[in-house]
């Protein structure tokens, strides 16, 4: 029996006959600024399902454990049911978005090495920035789990950055979510233009959700362009 367990801003999660597996349904809904701005990006669900599947497969080839079992339809993927850790892990290669704002840097400022940031996954509080001390005090994850998430996040950054470069895309920053499966930390959620910043390496054009957040136009086109560069598929 398939019942909806949770409806989020971009996806719905359904139970399956197997208690250890969930069916993820990717919607076209888009939100920004903690749900304040709402809209629809046509075909986003289909595109993000394909892009996330592509990235999960690439990461598996590089030894990163993740939740994807298989993509089952245009908008659905079957995943391992995780106990999601309420810590969002952001990796940044070039200053943009909230980092640029917070420390007063111009967007596009290069950094000598990647920055890893941790955020408390809590919509009501607007996902505040936290550190290891907060995480320990709140009991969100153990020190070992945080260490594991950071290690995976940096490895994922290396794998994705190198791959995307071959497609003339710069990986500016991205957000990851991890969860526990049989006590092990594994990668969950999605990797897509919703959760990453991709800039064209030649023109600097933004090819991600910032086009929606900032009303830059050509939103659907940007998502389609990422899919095309990754898989060659035109939709
Ligand atoms: P949000 O909750 O931020 O609005 P989504 O619309 O993307 O986000 O909803 C997906 C929800 O499912 C998120 O809360 C995410 O943490 C959670 N999730 C992602 N992967 C898994 C998984 N494998 N098992 C359980 N929950 C997951
Ligand atoms: P930020 O600069 O707004 O903090 O975003 C950093 C990265 O995290 C960026 O690639 C977009 C992604 N992100 C999400 O996936 N979900 C969110 O809710 C936010 C705020 C950012």
């Amino acid at each position: 029996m398939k019942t909806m367990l949770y409806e989020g801003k971009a996806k719905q999660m359904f139970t399956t006959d197997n208690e250890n597996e969930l069916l993820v349904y990717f919607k076209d809904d888009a939100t920004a600024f903690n749900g304040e701005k709402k809209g629809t990006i046509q075909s986003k669900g289909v595109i993000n399902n394909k892009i996330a599947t592509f990235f999960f497969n690439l990461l598996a080839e590089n030894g990163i454990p993740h939740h994807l079992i298989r993509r089952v339809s245009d908008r659905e993927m079957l995943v391992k049911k995780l106990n999601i850790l309420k810590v969002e892990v952001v990796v940044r290669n070039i200053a943009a978005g909230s980092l640029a704002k917070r420390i007063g840097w111009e967007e596009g400022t290069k950094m000598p090495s990647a920055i890893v940031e941790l955020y408390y996954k809590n919509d009501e509080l607007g996902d505040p920035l936290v550190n290891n001390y907060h995480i320990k005090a709140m009991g969100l994850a153990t020190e070992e789990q945080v260490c594991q998430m950071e290690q995976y996040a940096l490895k994922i950054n290396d794998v994705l950055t190198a791959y995307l470069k071959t497609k003339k895309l710069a990986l500016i920053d991205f957000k990851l979510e991890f969860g526990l499966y049989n006590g092990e930390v594994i990668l969950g959620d999605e990797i897509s233009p919703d959760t990453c910043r991709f800039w064209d390496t030649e023109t600097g054009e933004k090819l991600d959700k910032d086009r929606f957040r900032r009303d830059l136009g050509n939103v659907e086109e940007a998502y389609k362009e990422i899919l095309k560069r990754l898989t060659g598929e035109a939709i």
Side-chain angles (χ1 to χ4, degrees):
M1 247 271 288
K2 190 175 131 178
T3 53
M4 204 200 292
L5 200 63
Y6 175 79
E7 171 145 26
K9 296 186 289 290
K11 302 189 284 295
Q12 294 168 336
M13 314 300 280
F14 293 91
T15 59
T16 65
D17 290 337
N18 185 331
E19 62 178 3
N20 298 314
E21 298 177 358
L22 292 179
L23 196 69
V24 184
Y25 179 90
F26 285 76
K27 305 190 285 183
D28 287 348
D29 297 356
T31 64
F33 316 119
N34 205 23
E36 264 175 50
K37 179 180 169 116
K38 289 191 176 68
T40 304
I41 301 174
Q42 218 193 346
S43 302
K44 174 168 85 77
V46 177
I47 297 171
N48 279 1
N49 191 22
K50 286 178 194 275
I51 292 175
T53 299
F54 177 85
F55 281 135
F56 282 131
N57 289 335
L58 177 67
L59 292 175
E61 286 165 20
N62 287 277
I64 305 286
H66 60 70
H67 69 162
L68 177 68
I69 299 168
R70 64 179 181 277
R71 192 172 70 91
V72 295
S73 73
D74 259 5
R75 288 178 181 272
E76 294 164 308
M77 60 166 61
L78 189 67
V79 301
K80 292 173 178 164
K81 182 178 181 178
L82 306 185
N83 198 350
I84 291 284
L85 294 165
K86 300 265 172 222
V87 177
E88 296 190 354
V89 182
V90 170
V91 180
R92 302 180 184 270
N93 296 306
I94 303 242
S98 71
L99 172 71
K101 202 171 164 191
R102 189 184 326 119
I103 63 177
W105 276 359
E106 201 177 317
E107 266 211 329
T109 302
K110 292 201 172 63
M111 303 185 294
S113 54
I115 288 181
V116 179
E117 292 174 343
L118 306 168
Y119 292 84
Y120 174 29
K121 184 175 160 56
N122 182 313
D123 276 348
E124 274 170 37
L125 299 175
D127 299 343
L129 183 68
V130 291
N131 64 27
N132 279 291
Y133 293 91
H134 300 110
I135 291 171
K136 194 175 175 186
M138 289 187 284
L140 299 180
T142 66
E143 275 175 60
E144 207 186 348
Q145 288 163 348
V146 174
C147 199
Q148 181 66 266
M149 288 194 284
E150 290 181 340
Q151 272 179 25
Y152 282 146
L154 288 170
K155 176 79 196 287
I156 291 166
N157 188 38
D158 288 345
V159 172
L160 297 189
T161 297
Y163 183 82
L164 289 162
K165 206 170 163 192
T166 69
K167 303 293 174 186
K168 295 194 163 39
L169 291 168
L171 180 60
I172 305 306
D173 53 35
F174 58 98
K175 182 267 301 177
L176 301 170
E177 290 183 30
F178 295 88
L180 300 178
Y181 190 76
N182 291 333
E184 298 291 323
V185 172
I186 75 169
L187 178 65
D189 207 48
E190 69 177 281
I191 303 179
S192 73
D194 272 14
T195 64
C196 304
R197 287 194 172 94
F198 303 117
W199 294 358
D200 183 284
T201 47
E202 279 167 11
T203 64
E205 190 187 5
K206 293 178 171 45
L207 294 169
D208 55 62
K209 195 173 162 188
D210 271 348
R211 301 206 72 83
F212 168 79
R213 294 188 189 100
R214 303 175 187 193
D215 296 321
L216 300 177
N218 293 336
V219 185
E220 279 87 0
E221 289 76 4
Y223 280 69
K224 285 181 187 165
E225 178 64 20
I226 295 296
L227 178 66
K228 190 155 166 243
R229 290 203 201 179
L230 293 178
T231 69
E233 199 176 341
I235 78 158

